[in-house]
Amino acid sequence: MRRGYVFTLDALLSLLLVSIFVTSIVIIESNTEVYSTYLREQDKYVAEDTLTTLRTVSLRDLVPQERIEEWKSGSDPLLLSELVNEDMSPLEIVATYWATDPLYPSKNLTHKAEVILGYVLNRTLKDYNYELLINNYTSPYLRKVGSDYSKAKDVSPATLVLSGYAYNQTPRGYMARAYLTKVETIRKELYGWMRVSAGSDNGINELTISRNITLPSDANILSADGKFVSRQGERITLYINGKFVDWEYGEINRDDLASYLSGGENNIKLVFSYGGILWGSEIGSASGTTLYIKYETSSLSVEDLDIIKVYDVISKRTGFMYLFENFVPGNITSISMRFKVRNVGKVRLYYGFGGDLTLLYTKNGNTNGDAIVEFTDSEIRTALNNLGVSYDDLSKMVFDFVVGFDAYYSGGYWYYEGDTYNDAANRQRMLYGYPDSYLRINYVSKTVTTQYSIPLSIYFPYGDSRVTYNGRGLQVTYDLPQNSTPWYADFWVGYTFSGSTTQELWENNQKFYSGPLGRYAIRVAYTKLYDWMMVPGQTNNFEIKMVGGGSYVRNGDTRGIIKYFIQGYVGYGDVFPKLLQGYPIYKGYNLTYWYSDGENTYERQILVGESPYSNITVDSLAPTTYAVDDAILRLFNRLNYENDVNPNEWTSIPYDGSLTNPIDVNLTSGIQMSFANMGNIPKLFEPITITLRVWREE
């Protein structure tokens, strides 16, 4: 049975004598002294991405509908329906108002433009200082309240030239844009476990670690495998969603976990014990514990990375420690922690740097009942500053906090109450998991996304040929699609720690991080810090190097994932003499295209526009003649991110979406496209230059 899809067509603007088209060129002013630090580099990315959003995303998708209705009402509305509408992007509205202001001086169009743009900027850049200039003009509406650009240092602006009002072009042309409202994609997720350990108490203690993993409610699980490793070879028992799965001494390896999982909440429980055999000094989860899930979904939502969801932990007889090896893909603004515990007398917070841990705070809990223990942002910031560590330092890579719950660290070892000290203090201790306990790491993301951003990933399983282990480190080779937006890389690494070792991280033969390898290191994660990192459209090389000491990465014991977005949206293209094939007899297409899931290729149909429909295949489109054909293929070009035979050449045969060059996204319902029937403009207007400066307080 054929699934149906709808393209919605709408008229945008008919002005007067020359067709309007808006093109844009992003110009980044270069200066060797500008952005000497990585943080300033991020401000540049934010400025670029914000201008791209303001140019390509419609106003209705950036502003609440009630505010749009307010702007359309009254005797002097901000949105003049005869000139603009909410389907236009903010910068299209600005360009239209700025260019036509001389024609309607009483309507004060430039002021209307700055009010609209100021509102959008305030919502989009709420964590930054900013100033926007239109043809070197700015106003209080176009800068953040209280910000002062004259006091900012080393700011590199992004500049957009809107040269959309061209004299004497072919009149009454058409241009079109397309965007997705729903897609079906194959998602890949890799979940790693933080280390949690307790005393063995001569082999009679039992430690239970339980966590919830949330998948989209419509997730169709395609495959799942897990590796679950115990601390010192003790027995480990695995339950998923309340069902017993397996038990083993040392580690569990299962590649058949899909049937245990489902869309929505999934509970993974690990129970560690010695079960009557010879015991060691500790029990708990070790490095290398990971779960991989591959599933199909129509959801575009991604997990909120500013909340670290704490596990439920139960230790029957002793205290325990919990390693938090954290990462967020952005610039950290605050860190706070909340723990709800039961029968825990002392909670100790440590910061991990290199081969040692530094005690930051000790707080009281309750040895006979529940208690809530919190560490505030002010406390954490002050304690780290006293160590010479700033939040800017933590923003570059993973960083460690370790919490002892009736446990303390000394001289390279952990001591657990009820076992290695206060041996008689045997009682069941509990840490309540999320939402009762959590770490909150607020940050400013380096990646700007919209409702059209489709999350995808590159997965590296154990034994992947793209991962090698030369020397004491590892090397990863990967390719990002041409039109992708990198998000972050996350590798769960099998380290063997031995002595003071410096870990260096390199991307494309340039070093972006160097620091002491942590004693409890289990993970490397990073985001795009510089232009030369995570570059779309080329082969990238990531490397871990070890300097000094005896630490190394264990061969074959690492797997990871690189996450990125593609945009399910294309803005207005060029002006074409014709709208679509067969128009006006036909108002749309019944279009046949091809989709690949990576293993097989499938024929699909979508309905484009309104009835009556003309039956047509992708191969019959004419993107150099028809505006709608051009928009379809520009969108399909973005959706063809794996094995595209002619990247970014959507007018070249084989077209994206054809049998020999299928797209990689299954279009499940409701694609919408709007097109503009261009009228004429009475005279030439000068290009409009828009400059955005973004910076943070020193």
Side-chain angles (χ1 to χ4, degrees), residues 187 189 299-305 449 453 455 487 563 565:
R187 302 269 292 271
E189 304 289 351
S299 172
L300 299 183
S301 63
V302 294
E303 189 172 4
D304 190 354
L305 298 178
T449 60
S453 299
W487 192 14
K563 297 197 172 189
F565 296 96

Side-chain angles (χ1 to χ4, degrees), residues 164-184:
Y165 297 85
Y167 177 69
N168 216 17
Q169 295 291 319
T170 303
R172 288 177 295 279
Y174 299 89
M175 66 182 184
R177 64 177 178 176
Y179 56 92
L180 303 178
T181 58
K182 193 173 184 180
V183 300
E184 188 174 279

Side-chain angles (χ1 to χ4, degrees), residues 212-463:
N212 289 327
I213 290 173
T214 304
L215 300 176
S217 59
D218 70 340
N220 174 32
I221 313 301
L222 301 176
S223 65
D225 65 82
K227 180 179 181 180
F228 307 93
V229 187
S230 63
R231 181 77 180 94
Q232 294 183 343
E234 69 272 18
R235 172 174 171 156
I236 177 173
T237 307
L238 169 65
Y239 301 85
I240 298 179
N241 291 327
K243 296 180 180 179
F244 168 78
V245 178
D246 203 352
W247 73 269
E248 190 58 76
Y249 287 101
E251 65 181 59
I252 294 173
N253 288 282
R254 292 288 295 262
D255 60 4
D256 59 348
L257 300 180
S259 62
Y260 295 93
L261 299 165
S262 63
E265 289 285 323
N266 292 271
N267 180 263
I268 317 296
K269 183 168 73 173
L270 303 174
V271 181
F272 301 88
S273 63
Y274 273 97
I277 69 167
L278 296 175
W279 58 85
S281 60
E282 292 181 324
I283 57 175
S285 59
S287 63
T289 297
T290 53
L291 173 65
Y292 167 71
I293 305 175
K294 179 181 179 181
Y295 59 93
E296 191 174 48
T297 180
S298 60
S299 172
L300 299 183
S301 63
V302 294
E303 189 172 4
D304 190 354
L305 298 178
D306 62 359
I307 292 290
I308 310 299
K309 298 179 179 180
V310 173
Y311 312 151
D312 285 287
V313 180
I314 301 175
S315 178
K316 284 194 171 181
R317 296 180 60 84
T318 78
F320 57 91
M321 62 79 80
Y322 193 135
L323 165 68
F324 294 96
E325 190 150 52
N326 311 290
F327 168 76
V328 291
N331 302 319
I332 296 171
T333 58
S334 67
I335 302 174
S336 59
M337 305 180 188
R338 182 186 193 271
F339 303 108
K340 182 178 179 180
V341 295
R342 183 171 183 81
N343 301 337
V344 173
K346 299 287 185 182
V347 179
R348 299 175 174 89
L349 175 63
Y350 296 84
Y351 172 66
F353 188 69
D356 210 352
L357 301 178
T358 300
L359 179 64
L360 302 183
Y361 294 101
T362 299
K363 293 194 175 185
N364 294 323
N366 184 352
T367 59
N368 188 28
D370 291 348
I372 293 176
V373 177
E374 296 183 306
F375 298 97
T376 67
D377 175 62
S378 177
E379 290 173 329
I380 294 171
R381 187 188 299 268
T382 299
L384 291 178
N385 285 343
N386 290 339
L387 298 177
V389 178
S390 69
Y391 283 177
D392 289 347
D393 297 324
L394 302 186
S395 298
K396 295 181 180 180
M397 220 270 285
V398 297
F399 56 95
D400 294 356
F401 289 108
V402 188
V403 183
F405 298 91
D406 282 343
Y408 71 88
Y409 174 86
S410 179
Y413 297 95
W414 277 94
Y415 297 85
Y416 304 100
E417 188 177 37
D419 185 6
T420 45
Y421 75 98
N422 293 346
D423 186 52
N426 298 123
R427 60 181 180 271
Q428 179 173 281
R429 295 165 172 86
M430 295 177 57
L431 170 63
Y432 295 88
Y434 181 81
D436 293 312
S437 302
Y438 55 83
L439 277 66
R440 181 181 296 277
I441 305 175
N442 292 321
Y443 69 99
V444 179
S445 176
K446 298 180 176 68
T447 305
V448 176
T449 60
T450 71
Q451 69 183 85
Y452 308 115
S453 299
I454 302 173
L456 297 165
S457 56
I458 304 169
Y459 171 57
F460 303 87
Y462 296 121

Side-chain angles (χ1 to χ4, degrees), residues 113 133 149 177 226 247 263 287 303 339 395 429 437 484 546 569 571 606 633 663 691:
L133 297 89
Y149 174 70
R177 64 177 178 176
W247 73 269
S287 63
E303 189 172 4
F339 303 108
S395 298
R429 295 165 172 86
S437 302
S484 63
M546 299 294 186
Y569 176 97
I606 57 175
L633 289 177
I663 64 173
T691 301

Side-chain angles (χ1 to χ4, degrees), residues 18 40 55 228 250 358 382 403 440 530 567 598 648 660:
V18 176
R40 294 190 180 95
R55 176 176 58 86
F228 307 93
T358 300
T382 299
V403 183
R440 181 181 296 277
Y530 304 100
Q567 303 304 320
N648 274 351
T660 57

